[in-house]
Amino acid sequence: MEVIETNTPEETYEAGKRLGLAAAAGEIYTLSGELGVGKTVFTQGIAAGLGIEEHVNSPTFTIIQIYEEGRLPFYHFDVYRIGEIEEMDEIGYEDYFYGNGLCVIEWAELIKELIPADAKNITIEKNLEKGFDYRRIKIG
């Protein structure tokens, strides 16, 4: 397991960007952490690493946002508001999970039975004792 410590949103973004630069087609990253911990900033960095210039926001109300202008298609899921697991079938999640792009899934623990075993699990944590913007990012 890799552990990255950041002290500013810019460093969190750069950590995501490094991951995006190394990403390969067909990979799935699950992204966990409490609200406001920096998941979207980290994901914006991943998108930048893929060469995506479009602004990336969390697709909280649409479940998935698709970006195709980078070196790989980028499928950004936010399943926080998913009601039933069947909603994933309705959007055809398998086409994305087993496609030729990179999937990042926020709140993946809500659909854990659908996540392939080889997915990379990323957790972002705060520690206010180390500073307001301190983040500990675990990738495993």
Side-chain angles (χ1 to χ4, degrees), residues 60 63 78-88 90 110-111 113:
T60 302
I63 299 179
D78 183 331
V79 298
Y80 183 73
R81 296 192 187 282
I82 199 161
E84 306 270 331
I85 201 85
E86 289 76 24
E87 289 178 53
M88 293 298 290
E90 291 169 15
L110 299 175
I111 59 164
E113 59 268 32

Side-chain angles (χ1 to χ4, degrees), residues 20-78:
L21 287 167
E27 287 187 316
I28 297 175
Y29 301 161
T30 66
L31 190 52
S32 301
E34 61 189 53
L35 284 170
V37 80
K39 294 184 299 291
T40 299
V41 169
F42 187 78
T43 301
Q44 289 168 340
I46 291 172
L50 292 173
I52 295 167
E53 295 179 9
E54 185 178 342
H55 184 68
V56 172
N57 275 324
S58 194
T60 302
F61 296 101
T62 57
I63 299 179
I64 183 171
Q65 198 75 300
I66 300 167
Y67 304 90
E68 295 184 324
E69 74 272 15
R71 93 181 148 78
L72 294 173
F74 179 43
Y75 310 122
H76 182 199
F77 289 83
D78 183 331

